[in-house]
Amino acid sequence: MTNLPPPAEELRILDAELRQLDLRRAVLLRRRAWLVHTLRAAAAAPRPAQGTGAAPGGPPAGPAAGAAARRPETTAPGVQNVLLVLGGVLLTIAAIAFTLVSWGHLGIAGRSLVLGALTVGALGAPVTLLRRGLRATAEAVSGLATALTVLDAYALHEVAFTGADGVGYAAAASAVLAALWAAYGVRLGLFHPLPLAVATAHLPLLLWAIAVGAGPLPLTAVLLATAAGGSAVALRAVSAPVRVVAVVGALGTGAVGVLSAGWLCWSASDPGSAARAAALLVVAAAVALMTGRFVPNREVAVAAAAAAGLCLVAGSAGVLRVSVPGEWTVPGCQLFAMLLLAAERTSLPLPLRQGLVRAAAAVQGFAVLWAVPLVAGSVLGPAVQAVTPWSGAPRTVRDAVFAGVPAPAHASTVPLVLAVVAAALVVAGRRTPRRPAVMVVALVLGWAAVLVLPVALQLPYTAGLVAQAAMVVAALGLAVRSDRADGGTSPLALTALLLALLTSVDLALLSLASESATIGVLVTLTVLFGAAGRRPRHAPFTVPAALAHATALACALGASAGLRPPHTALLVLVVPAVAALIASRSSGSRATVPVEVAGAAAGLLALALAVPDPPMLALVLSLNGVVAAATALRPERRAVGWAAAVLLPAAAWVRLAAWEVGTPEAYTLPVTGPALVVGYLRRRRDTAVSSWTAYGPGLAATLVPSLLAAWDDQHWLRPLLLGVAALAVTLVGARLRLQAPLVLGAGVLALVAMHELAPYLTQVVGALPRWVPPALAGLVLLVLGATYEHRLRDARRLREALGRLR
């Protein structure tokens, strides 16, 4: 081990060993596949006749092979259970048919004797079967016995109690049968009588209440009492099937009872009726708490306590609903939910306390949902003012928010509800590890409470505007304070900024009802967000918001001065210019891109406003082009120069179109001149730039449109001037050895010459005999074929010569 090879040699040895292992593995896998295929083929081959022996190469014959071939597809207990269940079902069906169909063929003594004998025999047979160890058979026969007892009860009613009420008799019969089945199952230790007895025990009280004509309140009490009994059985039962049946029955009857009690409580017309229904909810809560106290499962205990808390709050709120005005119902529910939090200081088990706390939280959530319509209306309602701006200041804020739409009823206490939930979250957030998220939710709820306060109190219109402006200032101040406290952009600060932006938009829309209010609000918001933009952390949000409000202010000032939209566009163009200036001073910061986007949006708005007036549109295009060109002076924004290159020619073209100029050169030459100058300056600074990049776009901008116009021009002046210009371009390209001018100029010159000579060529071709053109074509093909190699060499030389050009 001390004489180790060098690392490179050891690596080579390891690689060789691994290759050998891979080869050996491949051989073994192939052998395994062949063996598997052989065994499958042998198993699929037909077996030889008995006594002839196994086929060569086939699997060995013997006891093992015979056992595999005769393997059963089911187990003996499975067959036994199927047979017993099927037999019991058939006997039960036969007994029902005998009782319902063939009953009339026997007298009273015969009927009693037959059913009695069958029932006694079925009830007693399991005793003998259990002694012999036939438990499954005993269970099947006991199932038949329980069915016969039901038929006995029916027969007894038809014979002896024909005058008794059917529902009342069913109640008594179900109670007797439940007790009989329970005693029978406990005495013999059978499986199914006990669950059946528990399920049947849920019927007597309910059927008895229906039989005596009980009203909704007693029926609800009976349902809750049945649920309490089912819960007690579920807690004390040892058998799992009994527990399952008891739990299902208790949950079903309890849920129906609670829903019925809640409906009675909330639909009551007087405090007394509501109090009686609320008492039932208190009983349901007590049953749920008692169940949660003794149930071993923690999650079930928490759920039971939460249900109990909701029942208590629902009952208390139902009484409160008929005792106080409607708008105080939800705050009353909140108050009762707060009282549930006192369970934290009691000696109740921890799961029960947690369930009550969750119930209180659920009630607060329902209260917030109740407040959503008013909050949504306060946020979205001012947008209606944009349809009819400056239609006149309304009397109150509610009239401005819900213009033509009915406001939510009983909404005057919405601010109180939201404020209570926000305060509760602030208090609870101090003791939870999720404090940042809780504080964000509390901030949003507090903002919503303040937002709807002017609407709920129906404050005057001006007071509502002032209140929302104060909200914007407070939100911005909270964002600044949160940043200072946390040393960075915290979630709370970001939420405050977003709320400030949303409130400012809502305020701007709300101010559209009055001209003076619109201008005053937009000036205030522009100045406010512009001042807040001095903080670098907030600039990506506040500076674009200031530019957006400034754009709206420009539009409002233009409309107030009576300017047409195309002339208002000149005021809007101030915003892109300011945005470009701000972006140049904050280059490289996070606010640069948002500011440029806001400026670009304002420029597009100016273009949209100027579209109806072509001369003004040309001016707006040119000014936008100037702003884009100024932006392109920054090294990291060179690409904006393409936008300037589009906007400036577009401005000239719109102006020429307004002047009804139809000559294409008037549109293209102003582009070609600056483009060639820019290309020349570019090549002076960078000699590696090709002539196609420097001069190609500028030359093509004039030559191509002029060529298309010349082909449709019947006069001689344009083709002549275009040919002279193309010749000059070709000569310059040849003199300076530039590829783009040479190729473009030569191509245009050749096409112009072809266009001018086309009529004469047509006349010459028409004067020649018809055999001349084919003859000339054949002669040309022969000449080309004879000199093919020479022409290829010349073509290669021409290509190389063009390639050497710059």
Side-chain angles (χ1 to χ4, degrees):
M1 294 300 294
T2 58
N3 189 15
L4 294 175
E9 181 64 18
E10 185 178 3
L11 180 61
R12 186 188 64 78
I13 295 172
L14 291 176
D15 290 339
E17 291 291 335
L18 290 174
R19 283 194 296 272
Q20 292 296 329
L21 289 175
D22 290 338
L23 291 175
R24 181 60 179 166
R25 176 180 172 81
V27 171
L28 293 177
L29 288 175
R30 285 196 296 270
R31 179 63 179 173
R32 181 183 182 278
W34 180 83
L35 291 174
V36 170
H37 175 73
T38 303
L39 291 175
R40 288 179 178 175
R47 296 184 178 276
Q50 187 175 2
T52 59
R70 293 189 299 272
R71 179 179 299 173
E73 295 182 357
T74 184
T75 60
V79 176
Q80 164 193 298
N81 293 334
V82 170
L83 294 177
L84 291 176
V85 171
L86 182 60
V89 170
L90 291 177
L91 288 175
T92 303
I93 294 174
I96 294 173
F98 170 76
T99 304
L100 298 179
V101 178
S102 301
W103 187 258
H105 297 288
L106 298 175
I108 296 177
R111 285 177 280 184
S112 302
L113 182 63
V114 170
L115 272 180
L118 289 175
T119 304
V120 172
L123 290 175
V127 178
T128 304
L129 294 173
L130 289 174
R131 289 176 180 174
R132 296 178 178 273
L134 302 176
R135 173 168 290 276
T137 307
E139 291 285 351
V141 175
S142 66
L144 174 62
T146 55
L148 288 175
T149 55
V150 176
L151 294 176
D152 286 334
Y154 170 75
L156 189 62
H157 177 267
E158 293 296 323
V159 173
F161 299 99
T162 55
D165 178 64
V167 179
Y169 180 80
S174 59
V176 172
L177 289 177
L180 176 63
W181 292 339
Y184 185 67
V186 172
R187 178 68 180 83
L188 298 183
L190 295 175
F191 178 78
H192 85 280
L194 282 178
L196 188 61
V198 171
T200 308
H202 287 79
L203 300 176
L205 284 179
L206 181 61
L207 293 175
W208 173 79
I210 295 175
V212 299
L217 197 66
L219 281 176
T220 304
V222 165
L223 287 172
L224 294 177
T226 304
S231 301
V233 173
L235 291 174
R236 297 296 301 274
V238 178
S239 174
V242 174
R243 282 201 307 270
V244 171
V245 173
V247 167
V248 172
L251 288 178
T253 54
V256 175
V258 167
L259 292 177
S260 176
W263 178 78
L264 291 173
C265 185
W266 280 81
S267 61
S269 58
D270 58 276
S273 301
R276 286 189 291 272
L280 293 180
L281 289 174
V282 173
V283 171
V287 172
L289 283 176
M290 191 62 63
T291 303
R293 173 68 178 80
F294 293 102
V295 72
N297 189 294
R298 181 180 178 277
E299 295 298 328
V300 174
V302 172
L310 293 176
C311 289
L312 292 174
V313 174
S316 304
V319 176
L320 186 66
R321 186 190 66 83
V322 294
S323 304
V324 298
E327 58 268 17
W328 291 100
T329 301
V330 176
C333 292
Q334 283 188 298
L335 176 61
F336 291 124
M338 293 293 181
L339 295 178
L340 292 179
L341 298 178
E344 284 284 345
R345 301 182 180 274
T346 63
S347 58
L348 289 174
L350 179 61
L352 298 186
R353 285 181 282 158
Q354 290 178 343
L356 293 175
V357 170
R358 291 184 183 181
V363 172
Q364 305 301 330
F366 292 145
V368 172
L369 291 178
W370 172 76
V372 166
L374 185 62
V375 177
S378 301
V379 173
L380 304 176
V384 180
Q385 299 296 335
V387 180
T388 57
W390 298 353
S391 57
R395 186 177 62 87
T396 64
V397 181
R398 177 177 289 189
D399 297 334
V401 171
F402 295 97
V405 179
H410 306 302
S412 59
T413 56
V414 168
L416 176 63
V417 169
L418 295 174
V420 168
V421 179
L425 288 176
V426 170
V427 174
R430 298 176 180 176
R431 296 178 296 175
T432 178
R434 299 179 180 178
R435 183 175 182 275
V438 173
M439 297 306 292
V440 166
V441 176
L443 175 61
V444 174
L445 292 177
W447 167 83
V450 179
L451 179 69
V452 301
L453 183 61
V455 180
L457 299 181
Q458 300 188 30
L459 295 181
Y461 176 70
T462 305
L465 295 180
V466 173
Q468 288 204 0
M471 287 180 62
V472 176
V473 175
L476 291 176
L478 179 61
V480 173
R481 181 180 178 182
S482 300
D483 275 351
R484 288 176 178 174
D486 298 341
T489 304
S490 63
L492 190 64
L494 181 60
T495 304
L497 279 176
L498 295 178
L499 293 178
L501 294 174
L502 180 59
T503 309
S504 68
V505 173
D506 194 62
L507 175 59
L509 292 173
L510 191 63
S511 67
L512 290 176
S514 172
E515 178 180 351
S516 58
T518 301
I519 296 176
V521 166
L522 291 177
V523 169
T524 302
L525 292 176
T526 302
V527 173
L528 185 61
F529 281 98
R534 298 179 61 183
R535 295 185 61 84
R537 294 175 183 171
H538 303 160
F541 299 94
T542 54
V543 176
L547 294 175
H549 291 306
T551 303
L553 176 61
C555 296
L557 290 176
S560 178
L563 299 179
R564 297 174 53 246
H567 293 86
T568 304
L570 296 178
L571 296 177
V572 176
L573 283 176
V574 176
V575 177
V578 174
L581 179 61
I582 295 174
S584 64
R585 299 188 63 181
S586 62
S587 180
S589 67
R590 294 186 303 167
T592 303
V593 174
V595 167
E596 291 174 342
V597 171
L604 291 176
L605 177 61
L607 290 176
L609 293 174
V611 166
D613 190 348
M616 190 59 63
L617 177 60
L619 179 58
V620 172
L621 284 170
S622 62
L623 293 177
N624 270 322
V626 171
V627 173
T631 303
L633 294 177
R634 292 157 49 196
E636 71 276 9
R637 290 292 184 266
R638 297 298 188 197
V640 185
W642 292 100
V646 173
L647 291 171
L648 292 173
W653 294 346
V654 172
R655 172 57 67 179
L656 291 173
W659 286 339
E660 299 182 355
V661 176
T663 303
E665 288 79 10
Y667 297 88
T668 58
L669 285 175
V671 178
T672 297
L676 293 178
V677 172
V678 172
Y680 173 73
L681 296 177
R682 179 75 182 278
R683 279 183 58 84
R684 284 188 61 184
R685 284 190 295 176
D686 188 2
T687 57
V689 176
S690 67
S691 61
W692 287 103
T693 303
Y695 304 120
L699 293 174
T702 293
L703 293 177
V704 174
S706 297
L707 178 62
L708 296 176
W711 274 73
D712 194 34
D713 196 347
Q714 303 299 326
H715 301 283
W716 58 271
L717 182 58
R718 176 178 277 112
L720 176 61
L721 294 177
L722 180 59
V724 171
L727 178 61
V729 171
T730 303
L731 294 176
V732 171
R735 176 68 180 82
L736 300 178
R737 301 183 66 187
L738 298 175
Q739 191 180 82
L742 181 61
V743 173
L744 289 175
V748 172
L749 182 59
L751 292 175
V752 170
M754 184 183 300
H755 174 266
E756 294 302 314
L757 294 176
Y760 302 102
L761 294 176
T762 303
Q763 295 177 5
V764 171
V765 171
L768 293 174
R770 293 188 176 181
W771 57 269
V772 173
L776 291 176
L779 181 61
V780 170
L781 290 176
L782 289 175
V783 173
L784 290 176
T787 59
Y788 183 73
E789 184 179 1
H790 183 267
R791 299 302 181 189
L792 286 178
R793 185 173 65 251
D794 292 343
R796 283 195 296 270
R797 289 177 179 176
L798 177 60
R799 185 182 62 187
E800 292 173 358
L802 289 175
R804 287 194 296 270
L805 298 178
R806 292 172 293 172

